[in-house]
């Protein structure tokens, strides 16, 4: 794979879309510390603490909550694994004020500029809807977006993101070729391919950069500054 500087191509690219479909965690906002906060709350209910080495690694954060519980307490009974999951969910959805959740540097300016240009922004996330809406309300970020939806049907069942992309495009009254997906995980890029939509992979978030490149996004941004260049004109392309 070859990464070239394609300033003129990206300028054309930037002017050719009406809708940006955003992943949230690791793409728009850095939410990791508050997720760890909820995991720490659940761990304390079980009389233990999460080691620093866990919280310093995005790999651990990507694991299912049940797996994290069993890594912390290997002999944890199944009923206690379920209560650990419930404690995490309760804290994150209802108790946390998300004090450490922040927009990535430059993201507020980018979202505001897209709004000024009448280019729509829509969040499609696996994050629980109640948690997302509390964050948007508490942080007053909701006005940057034209809508949002969660793929979560139940804590164990999710609607495929690719299907949601198509639903959002239809609901917003735009075409596939005037839409673009921005995400930090290979699954975001895979979902964009499924839906037949262009994609930008961001490597500044929680996803593995090698997995992102292997998923073959149309473009790659290593920072919000590069993402801004791609969406507003200029940047890097992938061939």
């Amino acid at each position: 794979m070859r990464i070239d500087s394609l300033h003129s191509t990206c300028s054309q690219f930037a002017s050719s879309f009406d809708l940006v479909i955003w992943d949230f965690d690791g793409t728009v906002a850095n939410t990791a510390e508050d997720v760890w906060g909820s995991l720490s709350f659940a761990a304390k209910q079980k009389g233990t603490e999460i080691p620093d080495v866990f919280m310093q690694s995005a790999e651990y954060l990507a694991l299912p909550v049940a797996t994290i519980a069993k890594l912390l307490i290997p002999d944890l009974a199944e009923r206690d694994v379920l209560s650990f999951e419930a404690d995490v969910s309760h804290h994150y959805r209802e108790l946390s004020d998300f004090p450490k959740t922040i927009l990535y540097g430059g993201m507020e300016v980018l979202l505001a500029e897209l709004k000024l240009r009448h280019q729509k922004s829509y969040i499609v996330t696996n994050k629980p809807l109640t948690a997302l809406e509390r964050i948007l309300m508490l942080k007053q970020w909701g006005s940057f977006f034209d809508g949002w939806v969660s793929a979560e049907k139940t804590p164990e069942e999710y609607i495929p993101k690719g299907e949601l992309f198509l639903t959002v495009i239809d609901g917003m009254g735009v075409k596939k070729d005037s839409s673009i997906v921005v995400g930090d995980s290979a699954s975001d890029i895979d979902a964009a391919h499924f839906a037949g939509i262009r994609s930008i992979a961001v490597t500044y978030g929680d996803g593995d950069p090698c997995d992102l490149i292997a998923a073959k996004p149309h473009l790659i941004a290593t920072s919000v500054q590069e993402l801004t260049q791609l969406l507003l004109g200029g940047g890097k392309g992938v061939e």
Side-chain angles (χ1 to χ4, degrees):
M1 187 176 334
R2 184 165 58 89
I3 300 178
D4 297 324
S5 177
L6 300 173
H7 295 287
S8 61
T9 299
C10 291
S11 294
Q12 295 171 359
F13 176 90
S15 63
S16 66
F17 66 89
D18 299 313
L19 171 67
V20 183
I21 300 176
W22 297 92
D23 174 53
F24 189 75
D25 298 62
T27 301
V28 171
N30 186 342
T31 61
E33 288 195 58
D34 284 326
V35 174
W36 281 121
S38 295
L39 287 161
S40 296
F41 170 85
K44 288 177 182 177
Q45 307 310 302
K46 295 290 180 281
T48 189
E49 294 185 354
I50 298 179
D52 288 343
V53 67
F54 268 58
M55 293 189 280
Q56 292 167 2
S57 173
E59 287 183 27
Y60 286 114
L61 194 61
L63 295 173
V65 172
T67 302
I68 294 174
K70 291 175 182 177
L71 286 172
L72 290 171
I73 313 172
D75 59 349
L76 198 63
E78 188 59 32
R79 67 177 180 277
D80 291 323
V81 172
L82 293 174
S83 67
F84 184 96
E85 291 178 309
D87 285 339
V88 172
S89 177
H90 173 61
H91 185 271
Y92 195 76
R93 296 172 192 237
E94 299 175 39
L95 300 181
S96 178
D97 289 331
F98 312 104
K100 297 181 179 180
T101 291
I102 58 172
L103 293 176
Y104 285 104
M107 182 58 68
E108 184 170 354
V109 173
L110 171 56
L111 291 170
E113 181 61 27
L114 289 171
K115 195 170 185 68
L116 283 174
R117 296 183 181 205
H118 304 291
Q119 290 168 307
K120 297 177 173 61
S121 289
Y122 206 105
I123 298 169
V124 176
T125 179
N126 288 332
K127 192 178 203 69
L129 186 62
T130 52
L132 175 65
E133 290 186 334
R134 287 189 68 236
I135 289 172
L136 295 178
M137 178 189 69
L138 290 169
K139 304 292 185 179
Q140 299 183 344
W141 295 341
S143 62
F144 290 126
F145 302 98
D146 296 275
W148 47 83
V149 65
S150 171
E152 184 187 70
K153 293 178 68 176
T154 71
E156 293 79 30
E157 185 181 3
Y158 290 81
I159 303 167
K161 267 192 169 182
E163 294 181 11
L164 283 179
F165 293 164
L166 294 173
T167 300
V168 168
I169 287 169
D170 183 60
M172 297 298 289
V174 299
K175 297 178 180 179
K176 287 184 185 182
D177 60 7
S178 63
S179 304
I180 186 161
V181 170
V182 181
D184 74 315
S185 71
S187 61
D188 293 322
I189 307 307
D190 291 340
H193 286 313
F194 171 87
I197 307 168
R198 293 174 297 174
S199 61
I200 299 176
V202 298
T203 62
Y204 57 77
D206 302 323
D208 184 296
C210 293
D211 290 343
L212 278 166
I213 292 171
K216 298 183 178 179
H218 292 81
L219 298 166
I220 295 173
T222 62
S223 65
V224 176
Q225 289 68 36
E226 285 190 4
L227 179 60
T228 299
Q229 288 182 314
L230 291 173
L231 291 177
L232 304 182
K236 291 180 180 178
V238 178
E239 284 189 353

